[in-house]
Amino acid sequence: MRKFDPRKAAAAVAVAAAVPVLFAGAAHADTPGTVYFSDGIFNCSIDDAGVVGCDLTSPSNYMSIDLGSGSSDLTVPFPVNEVVIDVPWAPAHPAFDIGTPHTLPGGNPDISTVGHPSGTGATAGVQVSHAGSSCQTGFHGSFSCDAMGHSFTYYEIITAN
């Protein structure tokens, strides 16, 4: 007859609860679920619909949005805390969610542990791809994301199009 061991039962519950958190950022394009990762000031997520969102750990970053068709850029008149690409008809833009919706409790895993190498030479970096969207590091520490026909790039300022 098997005897109930509360220590083993508690350990099994703890492992079962930890597994989704430990592997949340390790998803690949063919694995369902939101992919979480971080790079520098960005804590980002890409969900199964291809929506990209990034929380900024430093809220003193400004953003410029390219309005296209030869018009001048629109500079957002305040520092941004969150950038999203969430609809195909709008460029990357600031969002105003409460808290940090793209950051896991305890922080996101580094992009180098979630992604794969990309580029060569001066443009070498790491890329994460999921649900048709991607984010990557690159030239001199730049960071960019592409989704739904739009993108944003960070290199001293966030530029969206």
Side-chain angles (χ1 to χ4, degrees):
M1 179 171 161
R2 286 190 160 169
K3 197 173 181 184
F4 178 74
D5 185 342
R7 291 175 295 170
K8 287 182 182 177
V13 169
V15 168
V19 168
V21 174
L22 291 173
F23 292 102
H28 298 284
D30 59 348
T31 304
T34 300
V35 177
Y36 293 89
F37 54 94
S38 66
D39 181 65
I41 64 168
F42 293 95
N43 281 308
C44 300
S45 65
I46 304 175
D47 71 14
D48 284 338
V51 172
V52 173
C54 295
D55 300 321
L56 282 74
T57 59
S58 173
S60 60
N61 292 281
Y62 286 86
M63 183 173 187
S64 173
I65 301 174
D66 178 5
L67 299 176
S69 302
S71 60
S72 61
D73 293 351
L74 169 69
T75 301
V76 177
F78 50 83
V80 299
N81 296 333
E82 180 184 6
V83 178
V84 297
I85 305 172
D86 57 354
V87 290
W89 50 266
H93 56 277
F96 305 97
D97 290 311
I98 295 172
T100 52
H102 311 288
T103 305
L104 293 169
N108 293 356
D110 189 79
I111 192 170
S112 64
T113 63
V114 177
H116 59 276
S118 68
T120 60
T123 62
V126 179
Q127 180 175 6
V128 172
S129 300
H130 182 64
S133 299
S134 65
C135 293
Q136 55 274 334
T137 62
F139 185 72
H140 288 283
S142 66
F143 179 79
S144 62
C145 292
D146 299 288
M148 302 179 191
H150 300 284
S151 64
F152 72 84
T153 301
Y154 174 76
Y155 187 72
E156 298 181 8
I157 185 173
I158 300 167
T159 305
N161 57 40

